Amino acid sequence: MKLEKLLLTRGLVQQSPSIEVIRQRAEVVKPQPMKLFYGETFDEEGNTLDSMKYYFFVDALSKALTEEGFETVPEILIADTAACRNVGEKLERRYMSLGTDRVNFVKKINEVYGLDLKIIRMSDYIDSIEFIKKREQVIDMCQADPELMAAIEKSVPESKLDIERKKGFLYSFDEITTIIDLDIKVGPPREDLYDNIARQVSSKNNTKELISLFLTPSFPLGMNWAYFFSNEGIEDHGITAYKAGSKRLQRHRVIVGRSNPQYIQNMIENSFISTDPTLPNSVLEAGIISEMARKRLDNDDSPITLAQDFYEGKITSEQLKKFVGENIDEHVLRYF
């Protein structure tokens, strides 16, 4: 798909740099490849359909830039070490094993859909001398700047602030050090806090600044209007795409390899859906991901128009729900 069409995909891209900015960065880093990146943690509830949106997009972005003559490295980071920082020592071995499961899931995605993603684990580099030295430099710079340290504190949920203070905010510093030298980082909108800190540090060092590209938030399936009305904050950030148990809503997620097709169809049928594009639309989101899967399987490079078709009234809510349930089953679930 052409770069312009990809970045303008309705219902998929929420915030993107201009095409000119992306091309300029590609020119600046030549002859080195452009570093494209998406990173995630995980939980015990399984691999989500929502994560697949990011894998497909990073690969599509890489291919679009390659078509324009730019070399890229599309990386998917499985942050196993970061996931372990949030659990007790007794669960560390279990979570490292879950990290391996997630790595294998992305490898399977690569295989089934013909993607060309480079998969890395945080544990592969976090104890290296090079990374530790770079992290120390970031820590020193932030600790010397009250505004940066205030931003570091804001990157931590208030409920975990005291714990992270005792740990020296290592989770945040690991994240910032990981992303600081990237060219384009793809992620959910809520990660802008980390991205902004990384840009501030780069600015003070007079080095190239990270470019952020945000995809649309993820929402739970099977929820009625009352749920979204009583949980207003979810409209802005949604739920965590890569953690099936985010907000304990695992029963309202498509968990690849676990969710039953009929159960998914029932969730879709019971989902709140509106023709107002400003409101959450979990069915449309799942439909766009399943369309990304279908197009990869069919070697179809045409733009995804599902959101336009729905909001312009070309398909009804009932037709959308039926289409999405069938598409997920046929182009995702049967392969896992």
Side-chain angles (χ1 to χ4, degrees), residues 63-132:
K63 286 179 168 56
L65 286 164
T66 300
E67 283 184 12
E68 296 197 7
F70 300 116
E71 188 178 350
T72 66
V73 177
E75 291 185 340
I76 303 297
L77 169 69
I78 306 304
D80 49 2
T81 307
C84 288
R85 290 196 188 282
N86 290 327
V87 299
E89 289 184 12
K90 293 181 179 179
L91 290 175
E92 186 170 328
R93 181 176 296 180
R94 166 67 175 153
Y95 268 70
M96 290 301 287
S97 176
L98 290 171
T100 299
D101 291 343
R102 184 60 62 94
V103 167
N104 290 335
F105 177 60
V106 185
K107 287 180 178 178
K108 181 72 171 179
I109 299 289
N110 258 347
E111 176 188 332
V112 170
Y113 298 101
L115 308 189
D116 193 28
L117 300 170
K118 178 183 177 183
I119 308 161
I120 55 177
R121 298 175 66 143
M122 181 174 274
S123 56
D124 289 338
Y125 66 78
I126 198 168
D127 293 323
S128 68
I129 294 174
E130 181 183 4
F131 183 83
I132 291 172

Side-chain angles (χ1 to χ4, degrees), residues 9 14-15 31 45 47 87 110 131 199 207 217 254 307 316 328:
T9 303
Q14 177 162 305
Q15 181 180 325
E45 301 297 338
N47 302 312
V87 299
N110 258 347
F131 183 83
R199 278 190 286 271
T207 56
V254 177
T316 67
I328 291 174

Side-chain angles (χ1 to χ4, degrees), residues 130-249:
E130 181 183 4
F131 183 83
I132 291 172
K133 182 178 179 180
K134 188 190 299 183
R135 184 177 62 195
E136 288 174 350
Q137 292 170 346
V138 171
I139 291 173
D140 289 346
M141 179 171 289
C142 289
Q143 289 180 339
D145 188 319
E147 288 188 8
L148 283 176
M149 279 309 299
I152 291 289
E153 292 204 2
K154 286 182 180 178
S155 72
V156 177
E158 194 169 333
S159 60
K160 297 181 179 179
L161 195 52
D162 288 339
I163 296 173
E164 286 303 310
R165 280 199 186 105
K166 292 175 183 177
K167 295 180 178 179
F169 296 102
L170 271 182
Y171 186 101
S172 297
F173 284 124
D174 285 344
E175 166 83 9
I176 293 161
T177 307
T178 294
I179 67 177
I180 199 165
D181 292 328
L182 301 172
D183 293 304
I184 297 181
K185 176 176 171 288
V186 178
R190 67 194 313 156
E191 292 186 358
D192 199 31
L193 286 169
Y194 291 126
D195 296 4
N196 274 326
I197 298 169
R199 278 190 286 271
Q200 290 179 61
V201 172
S202 294
S203 177
K204 292 178 182 296
N205 282 332
N206 293 314
T207 56
K208 65 177 184 179
E209 296 180 18
L210 173 72
I211 297 172
S212 299
L213 195 158
F214 300 123
L215 303 188
T216 52
S218 298
F219 299 107
L221 287 163
M223 294 299 193
N224 58 24
W225 172 82
Y227 172 81
F228 292 101
F229 179 78
S230 61
N231 292 272
E232 292 183 19
I234 205 168
E235 292 186 22
D236 297 324
H237 299 298
I239 53 180
T240 305
Y242 42 82
K243 289 184 177 180
S246 176
K247 299 186 184 299
R248 299 182 181 179
L249 292 172

